[in-house]
Amino acid sequence: MRVPFIAGNWKMHKTIEEAVALAKELVAKVRDNVQKKVMIAPPFTALYAVSSVLKGSAVFLGAQNMAAAEKGAHTGEISVHMLKDVGVSYVIIGHSERRHVYGENDQLINKKVKLALSKDLNVILCVGETLEERERGIAEKVVEEQLVNGLQGVESKELTFVTIAYEPVWAIGTGKTATPEDADAMHVYIRKVITNLYDKAAAAVLTIQYGGSVKPNNIKELMAKDNIDGALVGGASLESDTFLPIIQFNNGDAE
Ligand code: PEP
């Protein structure tokens, strides 16, 4: 069974004080018995402080990125050991802003994925096509390549620690959401690629999140689709007023 997985990516927002305040609100409302997984990825500077707020709660701590190298002369980078040291259990790798603004390619992303998994960190691997790629009819090909390259060398037993986030680049932060049907169709395609790379059983248990302008008013219809198992949420995860209704999309399991 795939447990719904709602993750918030706070990007380059929030001071330590603001991050702690929001984390406290979420912890108070998201209970242990929530039949979902919830994660937040604050900026690096707030990880340590937020980590102590989340201790013993039902909310997991995530990081937005990590270095491809384990340690050494890498000015400005944050290592997998540093993330684990502050209590991070998930790392987002290959977010479209890393790919398209900071030039990260599949090879670098694959290095990060393998390093994170080798150190027992859960990975959210982001994939997704640009608008131009969708219009050219190559969305599936692009996503397939990102999966094949990003997961190269990842063994099937490690795949259980990987979540895929399908985030069409044109839907991120734009207010444009893929229709639930289009998103579901790509999720089906992702399962097909995973079946080819691994096997049917691995594809069946793989959690695939949708990301791209997820809001309280569209989460329910997205989550109603068979192959959409969760959401990676940017803008709407920055305030409890918008993030809590997304976490509680089907009501009844949290206040
Ligand atoms: C994201 O940052 O991964 C994202 C999907 O952002 P937004 O929800 O703001 O589109």
Side-chain angles (χ1 to χ4, degrees), residues 177-216:
T177 326
T179 64
E181 291 69 31
D182 283 348
D184 194 56
M186 185 61 90
H187 286 215
V188 169
Y189 188 72
I190 290 171
R191 273 190 225 288
K192 191 170 144 198
V193 173
I194 297 296
T195 302
N196 293 339
L197 286 177
Y198 298 89
D199 54 37
K200 222 172 167 165
V205 296
L206 180 73
T207 298
I208 309 176
Q209 297 173 318
Y210 168 77
S213 299
V214 174
K215 308 282 179 218

Side-chain angles (χ1 to χ4, degrees), residues 4-228:
F5 182 14
I6 308 292
N9 171 15
W10 293 356
K11 307 194 186 190
M12 200 168 70
H13 296 286
K14 299 202 181 287
T15 61
I16 296 172
E17 198 181 332
E18 290 163 350
V20 163
L22 179 52
K24 281 183 176 165
E25 274 191 79
L26 297 174
V27 164
K29 296 278 166 64
V30 179
R31 294 193 189 140
D32 272 349
N33 64 356
V34 167
Q35 298 299 300
K36 291 175 196 128
K37 229 177 338 176
V38 178
M39 185 216 82
I40 49 174
F44 288 129
T45 48
L47 283 174
Y48 186 62
V50 170
S51 179
S52 36
V53 176
L54 301 189
K55 212 163 268 169
S57 83
V59 181
F60 292 96
L61 184 63
Q64 300 172 20
N65 187 23
M66 62 167 243
E70 229 182 296
K71 62 177 174 181
H74 296 280
T75 303
E77 293 286 323
I78 305 281
S79 79
V80 62
H81 300 290
M82 292 164 184
L83 296 183
K84 293 199 69 175
D85 194 34
V86 290
V88 164
S89 51
Y90 283 84
V91 60
I92 299 170
I93 296 180
H95 189 278
S96 70
E97 286 146 19
R98 300 302 318 169
R99 290 177 188 267
H100 297 288
V101 184
Y102 294 96
E104 293 195 6
N105 61 24
D106 282 340
Q107 286 62 43
L108 181 73
I109 289 163
N110 177 245
K111 266 189 170 179
K112 295 183 181 194
V113 168
K114 284 195 294 196
L115 179 57
L117 293 171
S118 74
K119 303 297 174 194
D120 300 323
L121 211 53
N122 295 285
V123 167
I124 298 179
L125 172 62
C126 302
V127 296
E129 80 285 359
T130 62
L131 184 58
E132 191 248 353
E133 289 162 342
R134 176 154 282 259
E135 285 172 350
R136 278 171 54 209
I138 58 167
E140 288 186 347
K141 181 172 169 282
V142 167
V143 168
E144 178 167 359
E145 265 176 29
Q146 290 172 344
L147 288 167
V148 171
N149 295 331
L151 294 172
Q152 196 163 31
V154 173
E155 293 173 22
S156 58
K157 65 175 190 295
E158 294 176 306
L159 193 70
T160 51
F161 300 98
V162 176
T163 297
I164 301 295
Y166 168 57
E167 299 205 304
V169 181
W170 47 271
I172 298 179
T174 59
K176 290 182 194 154
T177 326
T179 64
E181 291 69 31
D182 283 348
D184 194 56
M186 185 61 90
H187 286 215
V188 169
Y189 188 72
I190 290 171
R191 273 190 225 288
K192 191 170 144 198
V193 173
I194 297 296
T195 302
N196 293 339
L197 286 177
Y198 298 89
D199 54 37
K200 222 172 167 165
V205 296
L206 180 73
T207 298
I208 309 176
Q209 297 173 318
Y210 168 77
S213 299
V214 174
K215 308 282 179 218
N217 65 6
N218 58 24
I219 183 69
K220 213 167 173 167
E221 50 174 352
L222 286 162
M223 290 302 294
K225 293 290 173 194
D226 280 353
N227 285 282
I228 301 182

